[in-house]
């Protein structure tokens, strides 16, 4: 391979990244491509990404979700026939706070069979962290009809404090008010989904002030959960590590819950002398049965991931390193479905525990009649008759 050709391939890579050209990236990257993003990058972006899809989704995609930035290559240094060192700067800004980004980079690329076989990124991660701040405790991103709601207190195991409850309420309000949302993914930065309420906040609050602080915090949190359960867009949760206490409310709001095989679940209220929040006393008996819910509350029992699957608390288990990718894939599939019909399904399933059979049959009748008048129903029926895949638009 000539030195000129590998430089041209690299230039094409940066052009494709700037344009978000997935097809060009597929043409440039070797099927066995491996990407290494610098350790220490914010939002858990750093590390190894095996395969072009993983790099697009979790490496470059992770950067694009949190930063409006581009890599500006300045120098290309060929090292032998199949290696290239590219230096330059990342310029742009963080999406959450708008803080500027200006960070040097060095990319070491290797080539095989006329395609890019690997890329190792070296950069000033401190500048990336600075650009990411002010770091909100809840991040919200929209892409291809999917709204991603991401808890972002990884150093505190995503424990819920007043700021997070407020940020969650604001994020859910924005989600509800944004047109074109056809699925929601709830996930978290760091190794844990959420430890529930921030016990350090409770311990650091004067006893006479704690009830008032809890009321304000929980009011905002409960409103967010209630609004999530009422939207048309189906919700998928990705659970890694610990899921505990009131934080389980976000898991209950989901229609499909994907958990890591080593995830763990606990209520924890009995050990604190508290009762419940997050909808635990409403959702949990309906999901696992009254007897199991009583045992979980009163004995403060912990559930393994397999227990949670057996109890019906989660939908499926996958290895830890693919939890978010699996959940994101499900959300993407749901985002291509009949969104208004999904919304009616979500509401009828939840209300079925409170209504009689007669009432539920009437609700089903009314719902399917309304659904029959939607564009998606017409498309679904026409595609079935034509033996083709339907192209739903959420209308």
């Amino acid at each position: 391979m000539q030195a000129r050709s590998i430089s041209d391939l690299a230039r094409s890579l940066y052009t494709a990244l700037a344009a978000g050209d997935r097809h060009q990236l597929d043409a440039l990257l070797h099927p066995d491509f491996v990407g290494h993003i610098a350790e220490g990058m914010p939002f858990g972006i750093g590390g190894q990404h095996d395969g072009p899809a993983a790099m697009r989704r979790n490496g470059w995609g992770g950067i694009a979700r949190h930063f409006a930035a581009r890599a500006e290559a300045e120098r290309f240094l060929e090292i032998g026939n199949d290696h290239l060192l590219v230096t330059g700067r990342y310029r742009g800004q963080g999406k959450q706070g708008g803080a500027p980004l200006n960070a040097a980079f060095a990319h070491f690329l290797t080539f095989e069979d006329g395609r890019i076989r690997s890329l190792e990124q070296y950069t000033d991660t401190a500048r990336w962290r600075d650009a990411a701040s002010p770091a909100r405790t809840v991040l919200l991103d929209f892409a291809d009809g999917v709204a991603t709601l991401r808890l972002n207190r990884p150093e505190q195991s995503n424990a819920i404090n007043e700021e997070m409850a407020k940020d969650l309420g604001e994020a859910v309000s924005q989600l509800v008010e944004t047109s074109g949302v056809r699925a929601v993914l709830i996930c978290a930065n760091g190794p844990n989904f959420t430890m529930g309420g921030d016990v350090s906040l409770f311990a650091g609050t004067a006893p006479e002030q704690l009830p008032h602080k809890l009321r304000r915090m929980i009011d905002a949190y409960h409103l967010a959960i209630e609004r999530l359960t009422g939207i048309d867009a189906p919700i998928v949760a990705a659970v890694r590590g610990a899921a505990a206490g009131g934080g389980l409310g976000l898991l209950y709001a989901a229609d499909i819950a994907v958990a890591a095989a080593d995830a763990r679940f606990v209520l924890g209220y009995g050990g604190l002398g508290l009762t419940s929040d997050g909808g635990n006393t409403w959702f949990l008996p309906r999901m696992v049965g009254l007897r199991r819910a009583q045992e979980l509350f009163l004995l403060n029992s912990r559930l393994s991931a397999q227990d949670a699957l057996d109890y019906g608390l989660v939908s499926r288990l996958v290895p830890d390193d693919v939890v978010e990718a699996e959940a994101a894939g499900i959300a993407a599939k749901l985002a291509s479905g009949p969104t208004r019909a999904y919304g009616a399904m979500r509401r009828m399933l939840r209300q079925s525990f409170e209504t009689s059979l007669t009432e539920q049959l009437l609700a089903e009748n009314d719902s399917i009649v309304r659904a029959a008048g939607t564009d998606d129903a017409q498309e679904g029926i026409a595609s079935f008759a034509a033996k083709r895949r339907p192209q739903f638009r959420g209308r």
Side-chain angles (χ1 to χ4, degrees):
M1 183 181 298
Q2 298 297 316
R4 173 64 179 173
S5 64
I6 64 174
S7 294
D8 288 343
L9 282 171
R11 289 187 176 91
S12 296
L13 172 67
Y14 295 112
T15 300
L17 288 172
D21 190 336
R22 176 174 178 174
H23 296 297
Q24 179 67 3
L25 288 174
D26 285 341
L28 289 167
L29 302 183
H30 192 280
D32 297 323
F33 174 86
V34 177
H36 298 267
I37 300 293
E39 298 289 349
M41 287 282 283
F43 308 116
I45 298 169
Q48 180 169 312
H49 305 281
D50 296 320
M55 187 64 173
R56 286 196 314 268
R57 181 176 58 247
N58 303 322
W60 293 319
I63 291 173
R65 282 191 290 273
H66 301 292
F67 300 91
R70 61 183 294 163
E72 298 179 358
E74 297 169 354
R75 297 183 62 193
F76 295 79
L77 177 63
E78 298 87 356
I79 305 171
N81 292 329
D82 299 311
H83 300 83
L84 181 69
L85 178 64
V86 182
T87 58
R89 303 195 75 82
Y90 289 106
R91 289 187 172 88
Q93 63 184 28
K95 285 187 175 179
Q96 293 300 318
L101 171 69
N102 188 339
F105 73 77
H107 292 162
F108 186 71
L109 291 82
T110 62
F111 299 81
E112 183 178 321
D113 299 329
R115 303 174 84 174
I116 302 170
R117 179 66 172 75
S118 68
L119 182 151
E120 296 183 39
Q121 178 220 51
Y122 302 90
T123 187
D124 185 347
T125 56
R127 287 179 177 258
W128 286 87
R129 291 194 297 271
D130 290 342
S133 56
R136 292 173 59 87
T137 64
V138 177
L139 307 175
L140 183 62
D141 179 59
F142 301 95
D144 301 323
V146 177
T148 300
L149 193 68
R150 185 180 298 273
L151 306 184
N152 189 40
R153 294 188 78 208
E155 292 81 6
Q156 294 79 29
S157 296
N158 294 308
I160 302 169
N161 62 0
E162 290 177 290
E163 182 184 5
M164 178 176 275
K166 179 182 177 182
D167 286 351
L168 185 63
E170 291 177 355
V172 172
S173 294
Q174 184 180 346
L175 185 159
V176 170
E177 295 163 3
T178 299
S179 61
V181 174
R182 300 178 63 189
V184 179
L185 172 63
I186 300 178
C187 53
N189 282 329
N192 293 303
F193 184 66
T194 173
M195 294 297 291
D198 191 337
V199 178
S200 65
L201 170 69
F202 305 162
T205 301
E208 65 275 12
Q209 296 176 1
L210 182 58
H212 305 293
K213 181 169 288 190
L214 280 176
R215 182 179 296 279
R216 290 192 299 270
M217 184 176 80
I218 294 172
D219 278 349
Y221 180 52
H222 282 181
L223 179 59
I225 292 173
E226 187 173 8
R227 297 192 77 183
L228 282 171
T229 62
I231 63 176
D232 283 347
I235 299 175
V236 183
V239 182
R240 292 183 300 187
L248 290 169
L250 294 172
L251 177 64
Y252 302 142
D255 304 284
I256 298 175
V258 180
D262 59 355
R264 53 204 184 277
F265 305 81
V266 67
L267 292 171
Y269 297 104
L272 298 172
L274 297 173
T275 54
S276 177
D277 67 335
N280 272 296
T281 57
W282 192 91
F283 286 103
L284 196 60
R286 287 164 171 77
M287 288 189 171
V288 308
L290 180 59
R291 282 300 185 208
R292 282 175 166 170
Q294 289 169 320
E295 182 177 17
L296 291 171
F297 267 106
L298 300 178
L299 297 183
N300 205 23
S301 304
R302 296 173 181 268
L303 293 181
S304 67
Q306 186 61 52
D307 291 334
L309 180 65
D310 293 342
Y311 278 27
L313 190 60
V314 299
S315 310
R316 63 181 70 175
L317 303 182
V318 298
D320 177 84
D321 59 347
V322 298
V323 169
E324 193 166 316
E326 177 78 5
I330 296 171
K333 180 178 181 179
L334 291 171
S336 66
T339 310
R340 290 176 60 184
Y342 284 161
M345 294 175 197
R346 299 184 78 225
R347 287 185 285 274
M348 284 192 294
L349 285 170
R350 287 214 168 95
Q351 77 183 30
S352 68
F353 288 93
E354 270 63 58
T355 59
S356 67
L357 174 60
T358 299
E359 292 171 324
Q360 194 73 0
L361 290 172
L362 286 172
E364 287 187 352
N365 192 347
D366 290 341
S367 178
I368 199 168
V369 168
R370 286 194 299 271
T374 64
D375 292 345
D376 279 347
Q378 298 304 310
E379 165 63 13
I381 293 167
S383 65
F384 182 84
K387 297 182 179 180
R388 61 173 174 80
R389 185 183 298 274
Q391 298 295 319
F392 295 121
R393 300 184 181 278
R395 297 195 295 264

